[in-house]
Amino acid sequence: MIAWKILITDGLNESGKMILQASAQVDDCTDIQPADLLRIVSRYEAMIVRGRTKVTADLLEAAKHLKVVGRAGVGVDNIDLQAAYSREITVVNAPFSTTLAVAELTLALLFNVARAIPKADQSMKKGQWIKKQLEGVELSGKTLGIIGLGNIGGAVAQRAQALGMTVLAYDIIALPSEEWARLVSLETLYAQSDFITIHVPLNEHTRGMINGAAMMSMKPGVRLICTARGGIIDESALLNNLKSGRIAAAGLDVFAQEPTGLTELIAHPNVITTPHIGAQTEEAQARAGVDIAEEVLRALSGEPLRWKVI
Ligand code: 3PG
């Protein structure tokens, strides 16, 4: 059996690692810095990343023996797919591993922007009792607009229906999750939704899609959630609309620049933030680890692939 050399750069769940170790030499260089990665990458036939590692054209050029990049998760916007394609490097991901974790975090942010739970908790920890300032809104009876009705958008739609919400969705393609939402135009979604949540990948079509003009066509007082990718929402337009009160609140797990540091947007009192923890559950990471380990080994062995990105 060939002992493949596989590099892990952003951590991998133990069960995934064990699958790899049965037929490969696995080097776990979690949190490796770009310059060090560039220096050692030529030693490996495969590398497994999460979102932190930027798999750039320069890195792929230095990766003389690389056959496969595995993304332990869904989004591949951190991988230069064009450069991988032209070097005949296969890219695989684990597209179903994190669906529930991200959908549940979206629901958590939805409840939090409706009831300002972090503000309530922070005030309690200061010994205050600001009950009168904490009048929120109910989700039941409200309209949720979902932009992107794929796996995650569909899981959110199903759960939102159970909460008694009217669910509208916009997608460029019709998907099976349609049973959980009424497909509408983006204009209708903006005009009718009390809450809007985004579940599209970041690409040239979606970068900056939620810009100032889009915000102006949303219902005044809308609450916005994004657990998809930073860069889809224009953050300075969002800050302006929060300041004017046109957008009542935002729940954000993802940012144009990560890590963020403390920005004016994050500090805004009506913004609830989390540090890109959508996929950060034990269950999602176990699934991502196993799925990507199996898929990377299949790719190295030339077996048929389930989740080939390119
Ligand atoms: C994904 O694309 O799978 C999620 O955004 C999680 O990304 P992460 O693995 O970098 O946390």
CSV table of all heavy atoms in Angstrom, one decimal, residues 65-105:
chain,number,residue,atom,x,y,z
A,65,HIS,N,3.8,18.1,-5.4
A,65,HIS,CA,3.3,16.8,-5.4
A,65,HIS,C,1.8,16.7,-5.0
A,65,HIS,O,1.2,15.6,-4.8
A,65,HIS,CB,4.1,15.9,-4.4
A,65,HIS,CG,5.5,15.8,-4.8
A,65,HIS,ND1,6.5,16.5,-4.1
A,65,HIS,CD2,6.1,15.2,-5.9
A,65,HIS,CE1,7.7,16.3,-4.8
A,65,HIS,NE2,7.4,15.5,-5.8
A,66,LEU,N,1.2,17.8,-4.8
A,66,LEU,CA,-0.2,17.9,-4.3
A,66,LEU,C,-1.2,17.3,-5.3
A,66,LEU,O,-1.2,17.8,-6.5
A,66,LEU,CB,-0.6,19.3,-3.9
A,66,LEU,CG,-1.8,19.4,-2.9
A,66,LEU,CD1,-1.4,18.9,-1.6
A,66,LEU,CD2,-2.2,20.9,-2.8
A,67,LYS,N,-2.0,16.4,-4.9
A,67,LYS,CA,-3.1,15.8,-5.8
A,67,LYS,C,-4.5,16.3,-5.4
A,67,LYS,O,-5.4,16.4,-6.2
A,67,LYS,CB,-3.0,14.3,-5.8
A,67,LYS,CG,-1.7,13.7,-6.3
A,67,LYS,CD,-1.8,12.2,-6.3
A,67,LYS,CE,-0.5,11.5,-6.6
A,67,LYS,NZ,0.4,12.2,-7.5
A,68,VAL,N,-4.6,16.5,-4.0
A,68,VAL,CA,-5.9,16.7,-3.5
A,68,VAL,C,-5.9,17.8,-2.4
A,68,VAL,O,-5.0,17.8,-1.5
A,68,VAL,CB,-6.5,15.4,-2.8
A,68,VAL,CG1,-8.0,15.6,-2.4
A,68,VAL,CG2,-6.4,14.2,-3.7
A,69,VAL,N,-6.9,18.7,-2.5
A,69,VAL,CA,-7.2,19.6,-1.3
A,69,VAL,C,-8.5,19.2,-0.8
A,69,VAL,O,-9.5,19.1,-1.5
A,69,VAL,CB,-7.2,21.1,-1.7
A,69,VAL,CG1,-7.6,21.9,-0.5
A,69,VAL,CG2,-5.9,21.5,-2.4
A,70,GLY,N,-8.6,18.8,0.5
A,70,GLY,CA,-9.9,18.5,1.1
A,70,GLY,C,-10.3,19.6,2.0
A,70,GLY,O,-9.5,20.1,2.8
A,71,ARG,N,-11.6,20.0,1.9
A,71,ARG,CA,-12.1,21.1,2.8
A,71,ARG,C,-13.0,20.4,3.8
A,71,ARG,O,-14.1,19.9,3.4
A,71,ARG,CB,-12.8,22.1,1.8
A,71,ARG,CG,-13.4,23.4,2.4
A,71,ARG,CD,-13.4,23.6,3.8
A,71,ARG,NE,-13.9,25.0,4.1
A,71,ARG,CZ,-14.4,25.3,5.3
A,71,ARG,NH1,-14.3,24.5,6.3
A,71,ARG,NH2,-14.8,26.5,5.5
A,72,ALA,N,-12.6,20.4,5.1
A,72,ALA,CA,-13.4,19.8,6.1
A,72,ALA,C,-14.5,20.8,6.5
A,72,ALA,O,-14.5,21.5,7.5
A,72,ALA,CB,-12.5,19.5,7.3
A,73,GLY,N,-15.5,20.8,5.6
A,73,GLY,CA,-16.6,21.8,5.8
A,73,GLY,C,-17.2,22.0,4.4
A,73,GLY,O,-17.0,21.2,3.5
A,74,VAL,N,-17.8,23.2,4.3
A,74,VAL,CA,-18.6,23.4,3.0
A,74,VAL,C,-17.9,24.4,2.1
A,74,VAL,O,-17.6,24.2,1.0
A,74,VAL,CB,-20.0,23.9,3.4
A,74,VAL,CG1,-20.8,24.1,2.1
A,74,VAL,CG2,-20.7,22.9,4.3
A,75,GLY,N,-17.7,25.7,2.6
A,75,GLY,CA,-17.3,26.8,1.8
A,75,GLY,C,-15.9,26.6,1.2
A,75,GLY,O,-15.0,26.2,1.9
A,76,VAL,N,-15.7,26.9,-0.1
A,76,VAL,CA,-14.4,26.7,-0.7
A,76,VAL,C,-13.9,28.1,-1.2
A,76,VAL,O,-13.0,28.1,-2.1
A,76,VAL,CB,-14.5,25.7,-1.9
A,76,VAL,CG1,-14.6,24.3,-1.3
A,76,VAL,CG2,-15.6,25.9,-2.8
A,77,ASP,N,-14.4,29.1,-0.7
A,77,ASP,CA,-14.0,30.5,-1.1
A,77,ASP,C,-12.6,30.8,-0.7
A,77,ASP,O,-12.0,31.8,-1.2
A,77,ASP,CB,-15.0,31.5,-0.6
A,77,ASP,CG,-15.3,31.4,0.8
A,77,ASP,OD1,-16.0,30.4,1.2
A,77,ASP,OD2,-14.8,32.2,1.6
A,78,ASN,N,-12.0,30.0,0.2
A,78,ASN,CA,-10.6,30.2,0.6
A,78,ASN,C,-9.6,29.4,-0.3
A,78,ASN,O,-8.4,29.4,0.0
A,78,ASN,CB,-10.4,29.8,2.1
A,78,ASN,CG,-10.9,28.4,2.3
A,78,ASN,OD1,-11.9,27.9,1.9
A,78,ASN,ND2,-10.1,27.7,3.1
A,79,ILE,N,-10.2,28.8,-1.3
A,79,ILE,CA,-9.3,27.9,-2.2
A,79,ILE,C,-9.4,28.5,-3.6
A,79,ILE,O,-10.5,28.8,-4.1
A,79,ILE,CB,-9.8,26.5,-2.2
A,79,ILE,CG1,-9.8,25.9,-0.8
A,79,ILE,CG2,-9.0,25.6,-3.1
A,79,ILE,CD1,-10.5,24.6,-0.7
A,80,ASP,N,-8.2,28.8,-4.2
A,80,ASP,CA,-8.2,29.3,-5.6
A,80,ASP,C,-8.5,28.1,-6.5
A,80,ASP,O,-7.6,27.3,-6.9
A,80,ASP,CB,-6.8,29.9,-5.9
A,80,ASP,CG,-6.8,30.6,-7.2
A,80,ASP,OD1,-7.5,30.2,-8.1
A,80,ASP,OD2,-6.1,31.6,-7.4
A,81,LEU,N,-9.8,28.0,-6.8
A,81,LEU,CA,-10.3,26.8,-7.6
A,81,LEU,C,-9.7,26.8,-9.0
A,81,LEU,O,-9.4,25.8,-9.5
A,81,LEU,CB,-11.8,26.8,-7.6
A,81,LEU,CG,-12.5,26.6,-6.3
A,81,LEU,CD1,-14.0,26.7,-6.4
A,81,LEU,CD2,-12.1,25.3,-5.6
A,82,GLN,N,-9.6,28.0,-9.6
A,82,GLN,CA,-9.1,28.1,-10.9
A,82,GLN,C,-7.6,27.6,-11.0
A,82,GLN,O,-7.3,26.8,-11.9
A,82,GLN,CB,-9.1,29.6,-11.4
A,82,GLN,CG,-8.9,29.8,-12.8
A,82,GLN,CD,-9.8,29.0,-13.7
A,82,GLN,OE1,-11.0,29.0,-13.5
A,82,GLN,NE2,-9.2,28.2,-14.7
A,83,ALA,N,-6.8,28.0,-10.0
A,83,ALA,CA,-5.4,27.6,-10.0
A,83,ALA,C,-5.4,26.1,-9.7
A,83,ALA,O,-4.5,25.4,-10.3
A,83,ALA,CB,-4.7,28.3,-8.9
A,84,ALA,N,-6.2,25.5,-8.8
A,84,ALA,CA,-6.2,24.1,-8.6
A,84,ALA,C,-6.6,23.3,-9.9
A,84,ALA,O,-6.0,22.4,-10.2
A,84,ALA,CB,-7.2,23.8,-7.5
A,85,TYR,N,-7.6,23.8,-10.5
A,85,TYR,CA,-8.1,23.2,-11.8
A,85,TYR,C,-6.9,23.2,-12.8
A,85,TYR,O,-6.7,22.1,-13.4
A,85,TYR,CB,-9.3,24.0,-12.3
A,85,TYR,CG,-9.8,23.4,-13.6
A,85,TYR,CD1,-10.6,22.2,-13.6
A,85,TYR,CD2,-9.6,24.0,-14.8
A,85,TYR,CE1,-11.1,21.7,-14.7
A,85,TYR,CE2,-10.1,23.5,-16.0
A,85,TYR,CZ,-10.9,22.3,-15.9
A,85,TYR,OH,-11.4,21.8,-17.1
A,86,SER,N,-6.3,24.3,-13.0
A,86,SER,CA,-5.2,24.3,-14.0
A,86,SER,C,-4.0,23.4,-13.7
A,86,SER,O,-3.3,23.0,-14.5
A,86,SER,CB,-4.8,25.7,-14.4
A,86,SER,OG,-4.4,26.4,-13.3
A,87,ARG,N,-3.9,23.1,-12.4
A,87,ARG,CA,-2.8,22.2,-12.0
A,87,ARG,C,-3.3,20.8,-11.8
A,87,ARG,O,-2.6,19.9,-11.3
A,87,ARG,CB,-2.2,22.7,-10.7
A,87,ARG,CG,-1.5,24.0,-10.8
A,87,ARG,CD,-0.7,24.5,-9.6
A,87,ARG,NE,0.0,25.6,-10.0
A,87,ARG,CZ,1.2,25.6,-10.7
A,87,ARG,NH1,1.8,24.4,-10.9
A,87,ARG,NH2,1.8,26.7,-11.1
A,88,GLU,N,-4.5,20.5,-12.2
A,88,GLU,CA,-5.1,19.2,-12.1
A,88,GLU,C,-5.1,18.7,-10.6
A,88,GLU,O,-4.9,17.5,-10.4
A,88,GLU,CB,-4.5,18.2,-13.0
A,88,GLU,CG,-4.7,18.6,-14.5
A,88,GLU,CD,-4.1,17.6,-15.5
A,88,GLU,OE1,-3.6,16.6,-15.0
A,88,GLU,OE2,-4.1,17.9,-16.6
A,89,ILE,N,-5.3,19.6,-9.7
A,89,ILE,CA,-5.4,19.2,-8.3
A,89,ILE,C,-6.9,19.1,-8.0
A,89,ILE,O,-7.7,20.1,-8.3
A,89,ILE,CB,-4.8,20.3,-7.4
A,89,ILE,CG1,-3.3,20.3,-7.6
A,89,ILE,CG2,-5.1,20.1,-5.9
A,89,ILE,CD1,-2.5,21.5,-7.0
A,90,THR,N,-7.4,18.0,-7.4
A,90,THR,CA,-8.8,17.8,-7.1
A,90,THR,C,-9.1,18.5,-5.8
A,90,THR,O,-8.3,18.5,-4.9
A,90,THR,CB,-9.0,16.3,-7.0
A,90,THR,OG1,-8.7,15.6,-8.2
A,90,THR,CG2,-10.5,16.0,-6.6
A,91,VAL,N,-10.3,19.1,-5.8
A,91,VAL,CA,-10.8,19.8,-4.6
A,91,VAL,C,-12.1,19.1,-4.2
A,91,VAL,O,-13.0,18.9,-5.0
A,91,VAL,CB,-11.0,21.3,-4.8
A,91,VAL,CG1,-11.6,21.9,-3.5
A,91,VAL,CG2,-9.7,22.0,-5.2
A,92,VAL,N,-12.1,18.6,-2.9
A,92,VAL,CA,-13.3,17.9,-2.4
A,92,VAL,C,-13.7,18.6,-1.1
A,92,VAL,O,-12.9,19.2,-0.4
A,92,VAL,CB,-13.1,16.4,-2.1
A,92,VAL,CG1,-12.9,15.6,-3.4
A,92,VAL,CG2,-11.9,16.2,-1.2
A,93,ASN,N,-15.0,18.6,-0.8
A,93,ASN,CA,-15.5,19.1,0.5
A,93,ASN,C,-16.4,18.2,1.2
A,93,ASN,O,-16.6,17.0,0.7
A,93,ASN,CB,-16.1,20.5,0.3
A,93,ASN,CG,-17.4,20.5,-0.5
A,93,ASN,OD1,-17.8,19.5,-1.0
A,93,ASN,ND2,-18.0,21.7,-0.5
A,94,ALA,N,-17.0,18.6,2.3
A,94,ALA,CA,-17.9,17.8,3.0
A,94,ALA,C,-19.2,18.5,3.2
A,94,ALA,O,-19.5,19.1,4.2
A,94,ALA,CB,-17.3,17.5,4.4
A,95,PRO,N,-20.0,18.6,2.1
A,95,PRO,CA,-21.1,19.6,2.0
A,95,PRO,C,-22.3,19.3,2.9
A,95,PRO,O,-23.0,20.3,3.1
A,95,PRO,CB,-21.5,19.4,0.5
A,95,PRO,CG,-21.1,18.1,0.1
A,95,PRO,CD,-19.9,17.8,0.8
A,96,PHE,N,-22.4,18.1,3.5
A,96,PHE,CA,-23.6,17.9,4.3
A,96,PHE,C,-23.2,17.9,5.8
A,96,PHE,O,-24.1,17.8,6.7
A,96,PHE,CB,-24.3,16.6,4.0
A,96,PHE,CG,-24.7,16.6,2.5
A,96,PHE,CD1,-24.1,15.8,1.6
A,96,PHE,CD2,-25.8,17.4,2.1
A,96,PHE,CE1,-24.5,15.9,0.2
A,96,PHE,CE2,-26.2,17.4,0.8
A,96,PHE,CZ,-25.5,16.7,-0.1
A,97,SER,N,-21.9,18.0,6.1
A,97,SER,CA,-21.5,17.8,7.5
A,97,SER,C,-21.9,18.8,8.5
A,97,SER,O,-22.2,18.6,9.6
A,97,SER,CB,-19.9,17.7,7.5
A,97,SER,OG,-19.4,18.8,6.9
A,98,THR,N,-22.1,20.1,8.0
A,98,THR,CA,-22.3,21.2,8.9
A,98,THR,C,-23.7,21.8,8.9
A,98,THR,O,-24.0,22.8,9.5
A,98,THR,CB,-21.2,22.3,8.7
A,98,THR,OG1,-21.3,22.8,7.4
A,98,THR,CG2,-19.8,21.7,8.9
A,99,THR,N,-24.5,21.2,8.0
A,99,THR,CA,-25.9,21.8,7.8
A,99,THR,C,-26.6,22.1,9.1
A,99,THR,O,-27.1,23.2,9.3
A,99,THR,CB,-26.7,20.8,6.9
A,99,THR,OG1,-26.0,20.5,5.8
A,99,THR,CG2,-28.1,21.4,6.6
A,100,LEU,N,-26.7,21.1,10.0
A,100,LEU,CA,-27.6,21.3,11.1
A,100,LEU,C,-27.0,22.3,12.1
A,100,LEU,O,-27.7,23.1,12.7
A,100,LEU,CB,-27.8,19.9,11.9
A,100,LEU,CG,-28.6,19.0,11.1
A,100,LEU,CD1,-28.7,17.6,11.8
A,100,LEU,CD2,-30.1,19.5,10.8
A,101,ALA,N,-25.6,22.2,12.2
A,101,ALA,CA,-25.0,23.2,13.2
A,101,ALA,C,-25.2,24.6,12.7
A,101,ALA,O,-25.5,25.5,13.5
A,101,ALA,CB,-23.5,22.8,13.2
A,102,VAL,N,-25.0,24.9,11.4
A,102,VAL,CA,-25.2,26.2,10.9
A,102,VAL,C,-26.7,26.7,11.0
A,102,VAL,O,-27.0,27.8,11.4
A,102,VAL,CB,-24.6,26.4,9.5
A,102,VAL,CG1,-24.8,27.8,9.0
A,102,VAL,CG2,-23.2,26.0,9.4
A,103,ALA,N,-27.6,25.7,10.7
A,103,ALA,CA,-29.0,26.1,10.7
A,103,ALA,C,-29.4,26.4,12.2
A,103,ALA,O,-30.1,27.3,12.4
A,103,ALA,CB,-29.8,24.9,10.2
A,104,GLU,N,-28.9,25.6,13.1
A,104,GLU,CA,-29.2,25.8,14.5
A,104,GLU,C,-28.7,27.2,15.0
A,104,GLU,O,-29.3,27.9,15.8
A,104,GLU,CB,-28.8,24.7,15.4
A,104,GLU,CG,-29.7,23.4,15.2
A,104,GLU,CD,-29.4,22.3,16.1
A,104,GLU,OE1,-28.5,22.4,17.0
A,104,GLU,OE2,-30.0,21.2,15.9
A,105,LEU,N,-27.4,27.5,14.6
A,105,LEU,CA,-26.9,28.8,15.0
A,105,LEU,C,-27.7,29.9,14.4
A,105,LEU,O,-27.9,31.0,15.1
A,105,LEU,CB,-25.4,28.9,14.6
A,105,LEU,CG,-24.8,30.3,15.1
A,105,LEU,CD1,-24.6,30.3,16.6
A,105,LEU,CD2,-23.5,30.6,14.4
